[in-house]
C-alpha cells in the first residue's frame, strides 16, 4: 500500500481532529443519548471485516482489517486488494463482498489447480479431497464444462488423512507425465484415493501447494468448498444448483436447503 498519495488528506484529517480535541463542544449526556435514539438510518450493511489493526507510519495512522484487505485512511475506506474506494452501501456488494482475482493480479495456475472443463469463464474452487459437499460440486460441474473452466485447488483442512492425500496428489501434479496428471483429475472427481502411497514423496515441488494454503488463509476460508465465480462473487458451501448460482440467478442459493461448508478441523 502506498500512503504517500494520501499524505495531504491525512494531514487535513489529523489537523481537524486536533482542532476538535482542543475545543471539544460541551454537550449534555442526555442530549447525546437523545440524538442517537432519533437518528434516521437510511441503510446498513455488514462489512466482511473480522477485526482492525492500527498501523502507525510516522505521524500517520492507518486502520487495516486483520486480513489486510480493507484500510481506512484519509477519510476513505479502501479495498487494498483491488485499489478501489468503498463509498456507498452498494459498493459493499459490488466490491467488498467479491474477490476480483484479475485486479489482485493473482495467477491461479501458481496454486497448482486441477483444471476441469474448457469454457471461456473461469471458476476457482477450493476443495478438500475428502469433503462430501466438495463431491457434490465436482459432480455438478461436470455438466457445465463447455461454458466454464473449473480450477480445483486442494487445501487439506480435514486432518492428517487429508494432508497425506493432498501432498500425494500435489506431487503427482508436478509430474511431466500427462497420464499421471489425468489420473489425479479422475481421483478428485470420483473421490477415489485407494492405493495412494502413505510414505512422503522424496522428490516433490510443494511450492504450489504452499501458495494454495497461504491464499486460502488470505481469503479467510472457514470451510470448503469455497467458490469464486467469474464475476468475483464468493460462496462457502455447495450451491443447491451450481449452474443457477454461477449465472447469478435470484434466490439461486437457498439458506434453508444449501449444504453448509465442511468446516476446518480443529486440532485438539
Amino acid at each position: 500500500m502506498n500512503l504517500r498519495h494520501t499524505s495531504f488528506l491525512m494531514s487535513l484529517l489529523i489537523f481537524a481532529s486536533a482542532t476538535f480535541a482542543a475545543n471539544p463542544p460541551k454537550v449534555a449526556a442526555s442530549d447525546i443519548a437523545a440524538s442517537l435514539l432519533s437518528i434516521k438510518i437510511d441503510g446498513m450493511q455488514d462489512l466482511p471485516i473480522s477485526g482492525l489493526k492500527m498501523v502507525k507510519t510516522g505521524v500517520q495512522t492507518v486502520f487495516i482489517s486483520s486480513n489486510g484487505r480493507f484500510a481506512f485512511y484519509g477519510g476513505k475506506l479502501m479495498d487494498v486488494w483491488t485499489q478501489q474506494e468503498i463509498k456507498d452501501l452498494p459498493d459493499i456488494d459490488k466490491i467488498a463482498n467479491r474477490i476480483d482475482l484479475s485486479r489482485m493480479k493473482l495467477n491461479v495456475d501458481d496454486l497448482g489447480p486441477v483444471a476441469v472443463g474448457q469454457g471461456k469463464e473461469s471458476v476457482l474452487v477450493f476443495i478438500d479431497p475428502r469433503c462430501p459437499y466438495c463431491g457434490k460440486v465436482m459432480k455438478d460441474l461436470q455438466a457445465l464444462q463447455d461454458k466454464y473452466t473449473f480450477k480445483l485447488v486442494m487445501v487439506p483442512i480435514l486432518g492428517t488423512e487429508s494432508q497425506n492425500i493432498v501432498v500425494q496428489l500435489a506431487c503427482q501434479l508436478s509430474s511431466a507425465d500427462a497420464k499421471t496428471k489425468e489420473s489425479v483429475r479422475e481421483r478428485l472427481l470420483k473421490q477415489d484415493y485407494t492405493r495412494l502411497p502413505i510414505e512422503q514423496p522424496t522428490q516433490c515441488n510443494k511450492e504450489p501447494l504452499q501458495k494454495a494454503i497461504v491464499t486460502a488463509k488470505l481469503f479467510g476460508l472457514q470451510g470448503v468448498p469455497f467458490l469464486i465465480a467469474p464475476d468475483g462473487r464468493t460462496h462457502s458451501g455447495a450451491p443447491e444448483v451450481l449452474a443457477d448460482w454461477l449465472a447469478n440467478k435470484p434466490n439461486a442459493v437457498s439458506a434453508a436447503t444449501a449444504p453448509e461448508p465442511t468446516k476446518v478441523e480443529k486440532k485438539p
Side-chain angles (χ1 to χ4, degrees):
M1 177 184 1
N2 186 351
L3 297 176
R4 287 178 296 179
H5 297 104
T6 62
S7 59
F8 178 67
L9 290 174
M10 284 296 300
S11 298
L12 289 179
L13 178 63
I14 293 169
F15 174 78
S17 300
T19 303
F20 183 82
N23 302 283
K26 295 181 180 180
V27 181
S30 59
D31 293 337
I32 296 174
S35 64
L36 289 174
L37 290 173
S38 65
I39 289 175
K40 180 181 180 297
I41 298 175
D42 295 320
M44 185 179 297
Q45 276 269 20
D46 288 332
L47 192 64
I49 298 178
S50 57
L52 286 175
K53 297 181 184 297
M54 179 185 288
V55 179
K56 290 285 289 183
T57 169
V59 297
Q60 297 175 340
T61 301
V62 182
F63 293 92
I64 299 180
S65 62
S66 56
N67 67 349
R69 178 172 186 181
F70 300 101
F72 182 80
Y73 59 95
K76 294 184 178 182
L77 179 61
M78 300 292 297
D79 181 347
V80 178
W81 292 358
T82 63
Q83 294 296 301
Q84 291 177 286
E85 183 180 359
I86 299 172
K87 299 179 181 179
D88 208 344
L89 293 179
D91 292 340
I92 295 178
D93 179 62
K94 186 174 65 177
I95 300 173
N97 287 334
R98 303 189 183 211
I99 298 178
D100 190 332
L101 298 174
S102 61
R103 281 182 173 269
M104 289 182 69
K105 295 182 171 57
L106 173 66
N107 187 353
V108 174
D109 291 336
D110 289 343
L111 311 181
V114 174
V116 180
Q118 55 281 334
K120 293 182 178 180
E121 297 186 284
S122 181
V123 183
L124 180 58
V125 188
F126 286 89
I127 61 170
D128 182 298
R130 297 171 57 234
C131 155
Y133 296 131
C134 299
K136 178 186 183 311
V137 171
M138 290 187 287
K139 179 181 178 181
D140 293 346
L141 65 80
Q142 295 185 54
L144 305 172
Q145 295 185 53
D146 289 338
K147 185 172 183 180
Y148 302 98
T149 295
F150 296 88
K151 300 289 185 75
L152 309 179
V153 175
M154 297 179 289
V155 286
I157 71 168
L158 296 178
T160 304
E161 186 175 347
S162 288
Q163 291 175 12
N164 180 63
I165 293 173
V166 169
V167 169
Q168 295 292 345
L169 295 182
C171 289
Q172 291 182 18
L173 280 176
S174 65
S175 168
D177 182 43
K179 290 184 178 180
T180 302
K181 293 183 178 181
E182 180 60 30
S183 70
V184 173
R185 183 184 293 104
E186 291 299 319
R187 282 186 180 276
L188 283 177
L189 293 177
K190 296 177 181 179
Q191 291 192 308
D192 178 11
Y193 311 114
T194 56
R195 297 185 298 278
L196 272 179
I198 299 177
E199 301 79 14
Q200 288 287 315
T202 54
Q203 292 184 345
C204 174
N205 178 17
K206 294 182 181 179
E207 185 177 347
L209 175 57
Q210 292 167 348
K211 288 182 177 180
I213 294 172
V214 170
T215 303
K217 290 182 178 179
L218 177 68
F219 289 165
L221 264 69
Q222 298 298 315
V224 287
F226 181 81
L227 300 88
I228 303 178
D231 62 1
R233 286 177 297 112
T234 65
H235 183 68
S236 186
E240 184 180 4
V241 181
L242 179 60
D244 288 353
W245 179 77
L246 287 171
N248 199 17
K249 291 185 178 179
N251 303 318
V253 177
S254 168
T257 57
E260 292 290 325
T262 301
K263 300 295 181 64
V264 177
E265 183 175 281
K266 297 190 179 194
K267 297 180 181 178

